[in-house]
Amino acid sequence: MKSTLPILGRRARRLALEITALAAQLALLAGCGDRRHPPGGPHSDGGATVASASASAAPSDPAPPAAPSATASSFAAASAHPAVPTADPGAPSDVVAGASPRYEAGPSVITSDSIDGAVLRKRHVERIKADSSPVTVLRGEGPLDLGRRLCEVVVPRRPAATPVLLKPNLCGFDSVKDPAKSGGDDGVTGRITQPEFVRGVVQCLKARGHTKITIAEGCGHSHKFWKDLVQRTGYEAMAAEEGAALVAMDDDGVYDVEGDRPGKPLAIRGIEATNVPTLLLPKVLAEHLDRGLFLSLPRMKMHRYSVISAGIKGMQGTVMLSDRAPAYKQKWRMHRELKQYLDTKSGSQEDRALYLSSLRAFSERMVDVLEISTPDAVLGDGAPAMGGDGFQVLRPTAEHVAVGGTNPVRVDRVIAEFLGVWNSPALARELGGHRTSPLIEAAAKRFGLDLGATAITGDGAELLKSPRPVHYKAMAPFRLDWEPGQTPLPGGPARGLDPAPSTREKVSQGQPGFEPGGAPAKPEVHALPLPPGETITLDGKADDAAWRRAGAARWDTDYAAASTGIETRARFLWSKEGLHVLFELSSAGLNTDTSRPVDKERRSLYEEDCVELFLTPEPAAPRRYFEVEIGPFGHFFDLAIDRDVRLEDTAWSSGATIATSRDAASRKAVIEARLTAPGIVKALAPGARLPMNLYRMEGKSPRRYLAWSPPRTKKPNFHVPEAFGWLVLDP
């Protein structure tokens, strides 16, 4: 017979278990470690201290880090990752999608400490002009899977000995923030390429046999800031785990004077007639352009100045200018005319012509940079993509996608369409006739490309067959906000001059909007009714047709709302038999004591990897709810909680039938369950909105406490019913 135990007693027993793990996480930006049973567990008020830092930035080039930090690198065996389809060595194409011709290295463009810019430009311009390969749009559930799949399709194949340079968007934000003081926003999440997306690309390359993989970005801040940034964002840990080098493409006087000096600026000969005559290239980039494979991995997002930030804009991270020393701090000179506009702007008064003039000058310079720093492929992280302004206003897309190809201009054109700003009359009204990002238009003109004829392929291509929503807040005083179904104004989507944001923005996939007053909006997920006669086979395979129809709640946030890159998906169905639940886990370490039986209730399951569902059957009594814990091998524990009387009823049973499956090689797990407790079945009614939260505990060190609707507590604490989201039962 189970006993009824006070909550406080349970906390005390768990306190010692979490202190060590939490201490290791104190330096992370949002306490990305322990989550549920903190220094006592998420059932108490333990947690990690949030560190904060800030940095100023040029108006259109957000303001983060600087010098590099190399990580240890011994490559994991390629066999540890799923096999990647390989092209026939004798086939005429070196890309799975047949996107580019066979690779043949040309003569070296590097001599001594300089680069032959004329030869490099000629090589790149000819390739871009000739490349009419399709742009691939993939739909998926998370950044890791999308990064790996997109790489398999669009990245050109090279001999395994070819060194590869990955350039993510790691510096695209204004400043690091303290989430406790900014409504849960750490200032970074949503702005940068997610480390798990990069991990997916790295794993794809390793499966092809590549052993020399470098992740590099150029920011323009101190060496200390760079090291802090890569730790906070998880890049340092990810690179070390995958055996990739991590460096900054900056001549900061610290990292660039040691070893092979990856940040050393090299002069470029033969570009005197361009708009960037003082441009320099970091040594590590020049070497990969000369004899390696260079891949751009931008975060797909709107940008307050350049309209979108993707492949072309992302090349600003490769820029160094010799106007003054140190060269890497001269990035702002790429858009120096913008300062004139900002100096004359006062309140709602502005010189729009000056704004447009600065934007066009910046566009031409960025196309010059693209001619020199042309990536072999662009792989855009849109899991999710971000509307807004790219810095302070973030509007995540409902769909998770990845967009990529070998022609960076065509890739940007498709990303612009996905974000709702391709061939846009509404945008043209504000930007002097520019119907998309001026960077894209300038590049198309320079290379003579008919972007309207761009072929689009992949399982996400259908998303572009109907009008896309647009949410854009520009640096100039205008804003575009339109969703399909709204009545557009003549000439395009509705627009206005900085209208107030929606009082409740749509929330999906665990990416919160904001309620009136700035509080984070609560996410919701819908449970579809299971049609009469249709059944779910509980086998851990999740291949029933009904699951494919059900929408997913997705999240990678921890209890403090910090992104971890560890994604979880949950789907729901309901019937008169009970509530059907499906959890799909990525980055699963499967930290479970498998010697314990699965047919008996497992106390202290929270100490190992598991998922948890907190469900309130009576919305009028939000402090009384059920808790169900399930591990990836089928272990379980359930209880009923009444916080008003501070009791946990461990005798309560959820009536769960459970089936699980695991793929250790790809670090995935599936948990299926049917909950048939009378208290749950009674609450299942068409149209019901039941308070609910979803959690997951993952890993040993660091220990992750993940939350679908983050309670945003100082310490991991799951028992915050005020933070629960909603389970909506569709009729």
Side-chain angles (χ1 to χ4, degrees), residues 26-31 49-57 62-66 173-182 185-189 191 221-233 392:
L26 291 179
L28 293 181
L29 177 63
T49 301
V50 176
S52 69
S54 64
S56 58
F173 58 91
D174 276 336
S175 63
V176 178
K177 300 178 181 178
D178 182 345
K181 299 178 180 179
S182 56
D185 181 14
D186 63 12
V188 179
T189 302
R191 288 88 161 169
H221 286 273
S222 70
H223 187 70
K224 180 180 181 299
F225 191 90
W226 165 265
K227 294 184 71 173
D228 185 54
L229 177 70
V230 296
Q231 182 188 39
R232 289 172 182 271
T233 57
Q392 304 303 327

Side-chain angles (χ1 to χ4, degrees), residues 543-564:
D543 55 2
D544 300 274
W547 285 131
R548 292 193 292 271
R549 298 194 300 268
R554 305 182 181 95
W555 76 98
D556 74 344
T557 45
D558 68 4
Y559 68 94
S563 177
T564 66

